[in-house]
Amino acid sequence: METLHQIIHIEKEQIKFLHFPKQEVLSKKRAKRDRYKKLTRGLRLGNLEHLKVKIIFVDDEGAKEVETTIWGITDKSVILKQSTIIPLERIISIT
């Protein structure tokens, strides 16, 4: 996996042009559980406070970060504005 110091900041409109491999980026169950908790917290912050979160994820070219509002979460993906989707298994962290 890419090291986190090589993260490229992108705008959410660019996400639809990225390619996401199917492999999970997190190996530990606790890390996956924490990721989901942080995503649901980010969803609440976006809906109630209109706050953005920073999502760090990995596509087929490396680590990227986007600052955006989370509009929805499914068991397989995170939904952003304009029906932009990031696969859940490709997300490293949410702050």
Side-chain angles (χ1 to χ4, degrees):
M1 181 180 352
E2 296 291 316
T3 57
L4 294 183
H5 69 277
Q6 299 173 352
I7 299 171
I8 299 170
H9 180 81
I10 65 167
E11 298 300 320
K12 69 179 170 302
E13 293 81 11
Q14 296 174 285
I15 294 172
K16 61 185 165 194
F17 301 110
L18 303 178
H19 179 263
F20 295 99
K22 298 288 183 197
Q23 295 84 13
E24 170 66 65
V25 293
L26 301 178
S27 58
K28 299 188 182 214
K29 286 184 181 182
R30 182 177 181 162
K32 293 175 194 177
R33 188 172 53 244
D34 289 346
R35 172 179 62 196
Y36 196 80
K37 286 180 185 178
K38 289 178 182 178
L39 284 169
T40 55
R41 182 178 180 273
L43 176 64
R44 286 192 305 271
L45 287 173
N47 288 336
L48 299 173
E49 310 279 336
H50 303 288
L51 296 176
K52 294 182 178 185
V53 294
K54 187 183 301 181
I55 301 174
I56 299 175
F57 61 94
V58 181
D59 69 350
D60 62 346
E61 295 181 359
K64 309 266 189 307
E65 76 174 1
V66 64
E67 193 168 329
T68 187
T69 302
I70 298 173
W71 281 36
I73 304 169
T74 71
D75 58 337
K76 297 191 183 263
S77 59
V78 173
I79 305 164
L80 311 176
K81 194 173 187 178
Q82 300 171 339
S83 300
T84 302
I85 294 174
I86 302 174
L88 190 66
E89 72 267 6
R90 303 306 296 173
I91 297 174
I92 297 172
S93 69
I94 304 92
T95 54

PDB file of all heavy atoms in Angstrom, residues 36-47:
ATOM      1  N   TYR A  36     -15.964   2.281   9.742  1.00  0.00           N
ATOM      2  CA  TYR A  36     -17.415   2.401   9.598  1.00  0.00           C
ATOM      3  C   TYR A  36     -17.996   3.374  10.631  1.00  0.00           C
ATOM      4  O   TYR A  36     -18.870   4.186  10.314  1.00  0.00           O
ATOM      5  CB  TYR A  36     -18.086   1.029   9.693  1.00  0.00           C
ATOM      6  CG  TYR A  36     -19.498   1.064   9.180  1.00  0.00           C
ATOM      7  CD1 TYR A  36     -19.743   1.015   7.811  1.00  0.00           C
ATOM      8  CD2 TYR A  36     -20.581   1.180  10.041  1.00  0.00           C
ATOM      9  CE1 TYR A  36     -21.039   1.073   7.316  1.00  0.00           C
ATOM     10  CE2 TYR A  36     -21.875   1.248   9.560  1.00  0.00           C
ATOM     11  CZ  TYR A  36     -22.094   1.185   8.202  1.00  0.00           C
ATOM     12  OH  TYR A  36     -23.373   1.262   7.712  1.00  0.00           O
ATOM     13  N   LYS A  37     -17.482   3.329  11.864  1.00  0.00           N
ATOM     14  CA  LYS A  37     -17.946   4.253  12.904  1.00  0.00           C
ATOM     15  C   LYS A  37     -17.650   5.694  12.512  1.00  0.00           C
ATOM     16  O   LYS A  37     -18.482   6.585  12.690  1.00  0.00           O
ATOM     17  CB  LYS A  37     -17.282   3.930  14.247  1.00  0.00           C
ATOM     18  CG  LYS A  37     -17.815   2.698  14.929  1.00  0.00           C
ATOM     19  CD  LYS A  37     -17.086   2.478  16.232  1.00  0.00           C
ATOM     20  CE  LYS A  37     -17.521   1.189  16.885  1.00  0.00           C
ATOM     21  NZ  LYS A  37     -16.784   0.936  18.135  1.00  0.00           N
ATOM     22  N   LYS A  38     -16.453   5.936  11.994  1.00  0.00           N
ATOM     23  CA  LYS A  38     -16.084   7.288  11.585  1.00  0.00           C
ATOM     24  C   LYS A  38     -16.909   7.756  10.389  1.00  0.00           C
ATOM     25  O   LYS A  38     -17.259   8.936  10.297  1.00  0.00           O
ATOM     26  CB  LYS A  38     -14.596   7.360  11.272  1.00  0.00           C
ATOM     27  CG  LYS A  38     -13.739   7.263  12.511  1.00  0.00           C
ATOM     28  CD  LYS A  38     -12.276   7.292  12.175  1.00  0.00           C
ATOM     29  CE  LYS A  38     -11.437   7.154  13.442  1.00  0.00           C
ATOM     30  NZ  LYS A  38     -10.005   7.134  13.151  1.00  0.00           N
ATOM     31  N   LEU A  39     -17.233   6.842   9.494  1.00  0.00           N
ATOM     32  CA  LEU A  39     -18.087   7.204   8.352  1.00  0.00           C
ATOM     33  C   LEU A  39     -19.488   7.587   8.818  1.00  0.00           C
ATOM     34  O   LEU A  39     -20.053   8.571   8.346  1.00  0.00           O
ATOM     35  CB  LEU A  39     -18.156   6.055   7.346  1.00  0.00           C
ATOM     36  CG  LEU A  39     -16.925   5.874   6.471  1.00  0.00           C
ATOM     37  CD1 LEU A  39     -17.012   4.553   5.712  1.00  0.00           C
ATOM     38  CD2 LEU A  39     -16.757   7.039   5.519  1.00  0.00           C
ATOM     39  N   THR A  40     -20.052   6.812   9.748  1.00  0.00           N
ATOM     40  CA  THR A  40     -21.395   7.147  10.230  1.00  0.00           C
ATOM     41  C   THR A  40     -21.379   8.465  11.000  1.00  0.00           C
ATOM     42  O   THR A  40     -22.321   9.257  10.894  1.00  0.00           O
ATOM     43  CB  THR A  40     -21.996   6.020  11.091  1.00  0.00           C
ATOM     44  OG1 THR A  40     -21.118   5.704  12.166  1.00  0.00           O
ATOM     45  CG2 THR A  40     -22.244   4.772  10.269  1.00  0.00           C
ATOM     46  N   ARG A  41     -20.314   8.726  11.719  1.00  0.00           N
ATOM     47  CA  ARG A  41     -20.178  10.022  12.403  1.00  0.00           C
ATOM     48  C   ARG A  41     -20.089  11.141  11.365  1.00  0.00           C
ATOM     49  O   ARG A  41     -20.719  12.187  11.506  1.00  0.00           O
ATOM     50  CB  ARG A  41     -18.938  10.029  13.297  1.00  0.00           C
ATOM     51  CG  ARG A  41     -18.750  11.311  14.062  1.00  0.00           C
ATOM     52  CD  ARG A  41     -17.526  11.233  14.983  1.00  0.00           C
ATOM     53  NE  ARG A  41     -17.356  12.456  15.712  1.00  0.00           N
ATOM     54  CZ  ARG A  41     -16.673  13.513  15.266  1.00  0.00           C
ATOM     55  NH1 ARG A  41     -16.085  13.470  14.088  1.00  0.00           N
ATOM     56  NH2 ARG A  41     -16.558  14.608  15.998  1.00  0.00           N
ATOM     57  N   GLY A  42     -19.309  10.928  10.310  1.00  0.00           N
ATOM     58  CA  GLY A  42     -19.202  11.914   9.240  1.00  0.00           C
ATOM     59  C   GLY A  42     -20.531  12.155   8.543  1.00  0.00           C
ATOM     60  O   GLY A  42     -20.853  13.285   8.176  1.00  0.00           O
ATOM     61  N   LEU A  43     -21.320  11.110   8.386  1.00  0.00           N
ATOM     62  CA  LEU A  43     -22.651  11.239   7.789  1.00  0.00           C
ATOM     63  C   LEU A  43     -23.539  12.123   8.662  1.00  0.00           C
ATOM     64  O   LEU A  43     -24.210  13.030   8.170  1.00  0.00           O
ATOM     65  CB  LEU A  43     -23.281   9.854   7.612  1.00  0.00           C
ATOM     66  CG  LEU A  43     -24.707   9.818   7.090  1.00  0.00           C
ATOM     67  CD1 LEU A  43     -24.788  10.380   5.681  1.00  0.00           C
ATOM     68  CD2 LEU A  43     -25.230   8.387   7.136  1.00  0.00           C
ATOM     69  N   ARG A  44     -23.519  11.876   9.966  1.00  0.00           N
ATOM     70  CA  ARG A  44     -24.313  12.694  10.890  1.00  0.00           C
ATOM     71  C   ARG A  44     -23.847  14.151  10.887  1.00  0.00           C
ATOM     72  O   ARG A  44     -24.653  15.074  10.873  1.00  0.00           O
ATOM     73  CB  ARG A  44     -24.251  12.124  12.309  1.00  0.00           C
ATOM     74  CG  ARG A  44     -25.069  10.855  12.474  1.00  0.00           C
ATOM     75  CD  ARG A  44     -25.239  10.468  13.932  1.00  0.00           C
ATOM     76  NE  ARG A  44     -23.998  10.336  14.659  1.00  0.00           N
ATOM     77  CZ  ARG A  44     -23.288   9.215  14.752  1.00  0.00           C
ATOM     78  NH1 ARG A  44     -23.699   8.119  14.160  1.00  0.00           N
ATOM     79  NH2 ARG A  44     -22.167   9.184  15.436  1.00  0.00           N
ATOM     80  N   LEU A  45     -22.531  14.366  10.896  1.00  0.00           N
ATOM     81  CA  LEU A  45     -22.003  15.733  10.870  1.00  0.00           C
ATOM     82  C   LEU A  45     -22.442  16.466   9.610  1.00  0.00           C
ATOM     83  O   LEU A  45     -22.765  17.644   9.650  1.00  0.00           O
ATOM     84  CB  LEU A  45     -20.477  15.722  10.958  1.00  0.00           C
ATOM     85  CG  LEU A  45     -19.877  15.385  12.306  1.00  0.00           C
ATOM     86  CD1 LEU A  45     -18.364  15.239  12.193  1.00  0.00           C
ATOM     87  CD2 LEU A  45     -20.219  16.450  13.333  1.00  0.00           C
ATOM     88  N   GLY A  46     -22.452  15.770   8.500  1.00  0.00           N
ATOM     89  CA  GLY A  46     -22.867  16.384   7.245  1.00  0.00           C
ATOM     90  C   GLY A  46     -24.340  16.708   7.221  1.00  0.00           C
ATOM     91  O   GLY A  46     -24.745  17.785   6.780  1.00  0.00           O
ATOM     92  N   ASN A  47     -25.161  15.796   7.713  1.00  0.00           N
ATOM     93  CA  ASN A  47     -26.607  16.004   7.686  1.00  0.00           C
ATOM     94  C   ASN A  47     -27.078  17.021   8.724  1.00  0.00           C
ATOM     95  O   ASN A  47     -27.966  17.821   8.443  1.00  0.00           O
ATOM     96  CB  ASN A  47     -27.344  14.678   7.903  1.00  0.00           C
ATOM     97  CG  ASN A  47     -27.242  13.775   6.705  1.00  0.00           C
ATOM     98  OD1 ASN A  47     -27.032  14.218   5.586  1.00  0.00           O
ATOM     99  ND2 ASN A  47     -27.366  12.483   6.940  1.00  0.00           N
TER     100      ASN A  47
END
